[in-house]
Amino acid sequence: MRLRALLDTDALGLKLLGGAEELDRTVRGVMTTDLRDPSRYLSGGELVLTGLAWRRDAADAEPFVRILAQAGVAALAAGEAELGAVPEDLVRACARHRMPLFAVHESVAFATITEHVVRQVSGERAGDLAAVVDRHRRMMTAGPAGGGPDVVLDLLGSDLDLRAWLLSPTGRLIAGPGAGGTAAGGFTGGPGASGTTAGAGAGGLAAGSNAGGSNAGATAAGAGAGGTTAGAGGAAGRTGGAGAGLTAATCALLAAEHLAAARSGRRGPHRVTLDGTTYSLFPIRAGAQRPAVAAGRPAQSGRDVRETVLSDWVLAVEADAGDWPEERLDLLQGVTQLIAVERDRRDAARTVRRRLAQEVLELVQTGAPPAEIAARLRVAAPVLLPGLGAAPHWQVVVARVEWDGAPAESGPVAQALLEEVLAEPSPGLPHPGPEASDRIAVAHTGGEAIALVPLPAVAAEHDGTESGILADALLASVRDPLSAGLGDDGRLTLGVSAAVHSAEGLRGALEEARHARRVAAARPGSVCAAGHQELASHVLLLPFVPDDVRRAFTARLLDPLRDYDRRHRAELIPTLEAFLDCDGSWTRCATRLHLHVNTLRYRVGRIEQLTGRDLSRLEDKLDFFLALRMS
């Protein structure tokens, strides 16, 4: 039910004190509380009833309302029995957080409001109980054994005559017609057939007085959607047969539209029309169990949308959700939550592969003996390529996501994006085996993501015939969606190494991939990649420079800076690293170091004075780059 319906019932004794523009919010349950922090008992969509016993002074209102807003509460109703009028500090706090606020007359018990809301919500969700239970069971058991997201999409087709597809942020088809499954194939309803939609049943009631003495809450009427849909219609603009899928180009366009809408701050579902067909796009966010990012709720206050938007899946439904009743929107929200659980399950399955990549990366970067690295690779190979007869070859891919202005947390974003990019079908990986996303190990360190990609070993060594990832083809199918998600303030750059055939080669492959990414970063555009073919020979040889030569070269360039840093705590070495990492950009480097540009110019000038080098010259930049890499 919607909030405005509460005001239409005189017996409830509710008076609106603020939030008139939010009265179309949906109420999914009731909770009575006087806890100062009731967040552990909130799941979103509740009407919270309180007698204000938690309030000791005016400063208590702001944190209480903030907790409710972050949990996705629909509205707050404060009783007048304890304090008389609702305090102004609570009214102001609710206004700041866009939280609708009602005053409950002292003559009305909270139990009366609770009973009314639960009865209304339960009535809207009423239907054929056997069908409800069966549908809920089928949805909740959707997993690897039951078909995964395809089972949920099949229910949308059979029960609501809706065709739907699950897409990755790059437009990769994860589930739905055309994805190799049977989702939505063979609709059983058809025009005129009814489809009952419902969720979990109503919870129990708790009395709770208006005076607000109780800390226990009356639980909501359950999660999920309700109601019955019938008559002609389901999927507006439906085209093609029951088994038809989306083209790769359409998938990419839909993903791009979703990412662009999310970056602009528009609330979902987003609607887009392509070739006369209207699609409604619902985000599927990772972390389904965390209220702050649950499907259908606003992001947590203060969290940068750039940290999440590039990892969202999207449910594309062939229909115009703008014409839907509340019950159908509720059902789709429940569907997104079920798919989000599957998303979390798949992410959890990547934990072992990520840990393997992190362990190998740490060994490589700390200069561990090749035998120790080889032993770790032998552990990784059967996990990434089960059943492989020979030891694989390896490629390294390095990715970095960079943002203008205030920096967002880019390491996990780059990791998720790199996993997604490498999951795309690649002509360089023709071998059979598990799906691509199950044979990639990606770690992240700082703002950089590093992927360890196994390749089947070939009989001929170093003859150029081995298969592998090609940088120029890596981003071909994902460039447009990612450009839309990165917007005007983000960049994704990738570097790809050549294939290596032993543990001894991994250190060189990592340096090679990192330098290739720097080559890509020097190019225009928001999404760029470069491969090992574009690198100079000195980078290939860098890992094999003798240690005494390394020490002499780095000491000549870096020791004056280290000595100065020890005496003056000037942080010249970190400044030099950041300046080179930002490709000599004064603005980007100053932003990263949180310095004024003039302060940065002073430090760079001091570096040049101490070393006798000029950081505006390419040769000197290259020498510093090599010295830092060899140190």
Side-chain angles (χ1 to χ4, degrees):
M1 66 179 297
R2 296 189 186 273
L3 283 175
R4 66 176 66 256
L6 296 174
L7 294 174
D8 296 334
T9 306
D10 295 335
L12 299 182
L14 296 178
K15 179 173 65 176
L16 183 65
L17 300 182
E21 68 282 1
E22 301 290 336
L23 290 179
D24 284 328
R25 290 188 183 185
T26 300
V27 180
R28 294 182 175 85
V30 186
M31 177 185 179
T32 300
T33 186
D34 280 310
L35 291 171
R36 297 170 67 86
D37 180 3
S39 57
R40 72 183 70 179
Y41 305 112
L42 297 171
S43 59
E46 296 93 344
L47 170 66
V48 172
L49 305 174
T50 180
L52 302 178
W54 50 266
R55 183 184 180 276
R56 298 171 186 170
D57 55 47
D60 291 336
E62 170 64 26
F64 182 80
V65 176
R66 183 173 64 251
I67 288 169
L68 300 188
Q70 291 178 351
V73 165
L76 174 64
E80 295 178 333
E82 182 74 12
L83 301 178
V86 176
E88 282 299 319
D89 50 85
L90 183 58
V91 176
R92 290 192 297 269
C94 287
R96 281 193 296 271
H97 291 278
R98 302 178 63 88
M99 175 66 62
L101 176 63
F102 299 94
V104 183
H105 194 271
E106 62 180 342
S107 63
V108 179
F110 284 172
T112 301
I113 300 174
T114 299
E115 183 179 359
H116 174 82
V117 172
V118 172
R119 185 171 58 248
Q120 292 298 316
V121 173
S122 300
E124 291 174 358
R125 292 172 178 171
D128 184 343
L129 182 58
V132 171
V133 174
D134 181 65
R135 182 176 295 103
H136 190 66
R137 177 188 59 79
R138 291 161 62 195
M139 283 187 173
M140 292 307 296
T141 57
D150 283 301
V151 171
V152 180
L153 300 188
D154 184 61
L155 289 175
L156 289 179
S158 62
D159 291 357
L160 294 182
D161 201 19
L162 290 176
R163 297 210 302 160
W165 297 263
L166 185 60
L167 308 177
S168 76
T170 63
R172 178 172 58 91
L173 186 59
I174 298 172
T182 58
F187 297 109
T188 60
S194 65
T196 306
T197 67
L205 302 179
S209 68
N210 193 335
S214 173
N215 287 334
T219 58
T228 302
T229 62
R238 175 176 168 183
T239 59
L246 299 178
T247 65
T250 300
C251 289
L253 285 172
L254 291 175
E257 289 285 346
H258 161 70
L259 289 173
R263 282 302 309 276
S264 69
R266 303 205 310 267
R267 299 188 67 177
H270 313 302
R271 287 171 286 163
V272 58
T273 300
L274 299 177
D275 297 327
T277 301
T278 299
Y279 301 89
S280 295
L281 309 178
F282 297 81
I284 309 290
R285 298 190 174 98
Q289 305 306 318
R290 296 191 297 272
V293 294
R297 296 185 206 158
Q300 181 177 355
S301 175
R303 189 172 189 183
D304 196 325
V305 68
R306 297 176 299 185
E307 297 177 22
T308 59
V309 66
L310 291 172
S311 60
D312 286 355
W313 285 359
V314 57
L315 178 65
V317 181
E318 192 179 292
D320 187 347
D323 300 331
W324 284 1
E326 176 71 16
E327 292 82 1
R328 183 167 291 200
L329 284 172
D330 280 351
L331 175 62
L332 262 294
Q333 180 180 343
V335 168
T336 63
Q337 291 170 345
L338 286 171
I339 296 176
V341 172
E342 172 66 17
R343 166 75 188 275
D344 287 347
R345 185 185 298 130
R346 293 192 181 190
D347 284 348
R350 292 179 174 176
T351 301
V352 173
R353 298 192 296 275
R354 287 173 172 173
R355 185 181 302 118
L356 287 173
Q358 193 70 45
E359 291 174 352
V360 172
L361 175 62
E362 289 174 357
L363 291 174
V364 171
Q365 293 191 125
T366 57
E372 187 176 352
I373 300 174
R376 186 64 61 187
L377 288 176
R378 285 194 293 273
V379 173
V383 175
L384 297 176
L385 286 177
L388 191 66
H393 298 166
W394 303 90
Q395 272 185 289
V396 175
V397 183
V398 172
R400 184 178 287 270
V401 174
E402 296 174 301
W403 305 99
D404 294 338
E409 188 178 2
S410 59
V413 176
Q415 181 183 44
L417 266 186
L418 187 52
E419 287 173 336
E420 176 56 37
V421 168
L422 292 174
E424 291 286 337
S426 171
L429 297 172
H431 54 82
E435 66 173 273
S437 61
D438 289 337
R439 60 173 177 256
I440 307 299
V442 183
H444 77 83
T445 173
E448 183 181 66
I450 302 170
L452 192 64
V453 183
L455 306 172
V458 293
E461 294 286 341
H462 307 289
D463 62 358
T465 62
E466 59 264 30
S467 60
I469 297 172
L470 301 177
D472 55 357
L474 190 60
L475 299 176
S477 62
V478 301
R479 192 179 305 275
D480 289 343
L482 291 183
S483 296
L486 291 163
D488 297 329
D489 59 345
R491 292 198 77 203
L492 169 66
T493 51
L494 295 95
V496 183
S497 77
V500 295
H501 315 281
S502 66
E504 289 85 348
L506 271 183
R507 183 177 176 186
L510 177 58
E511 291 295 332
E512 188 176 62
R514 282 174 166 164
H515 193 61
R517 192 206 64 79
R518 290 179 175 274
V519 172
R523 296 171 175 167
S526 59
V527 181
C528 299
H532 61 93
Q533 303 91 339
E534 304 172 65
L535 300 184
S537 60
H538 65 271
V539 177
L540 304 180
L541 298 175
L542 188 60
F544 307 104
V545 175
D547 287 342
D548 56 342
V549 176
R550 285 172 176 267
R551 286 193 293 269
F553 182 76
T554 58
R556 189 165 58 249
L557 274 178
L558 301 183
D559 277 1
L561 305 182
R562 292 184 178 123
D563 292 341
Y564 191 87
D565 280 348
R566 277 194 295 269
R567 293 196 308 269
H568 302 283
R569 297 182 180 180
E571 298 189 1
L572 296 185
I573 291 290
T575 300
L576 176 62
E577 291 176 329
F579 186 73
L580 295 175
D581 197 43
C582 293
D583 302 314
S585 168
W586 297 98
T587 302
R588 286 168 52 200
C589 184
T591 300
R592 176 177 296 186
L593 296 176
H594 305 289
L595 297 175
H596 192 279
V597 173
N598 289 341
T599 304
L600 176 62
R601 290 185 184 277
Y602 172 80
R603 288 189 184 180
V604 171
R606 179 64 67 184
I607 292 170
E608 293 174 334
Q609 180 184 9
L610 291 170
T611 61
R613 299 300 185 104
D614 183 355
L615 277 168
S616 66
R617 298 179 68 247
L618 177 61
E619 293 86 350
D620 288 339
K621 285 181 181 177
L622 180 58
D623 283 348
F624 278 122
F625 169 76
L626 294 175
L628 289 168
R629 286 297 176 270
M630 289 191 295
S631 64

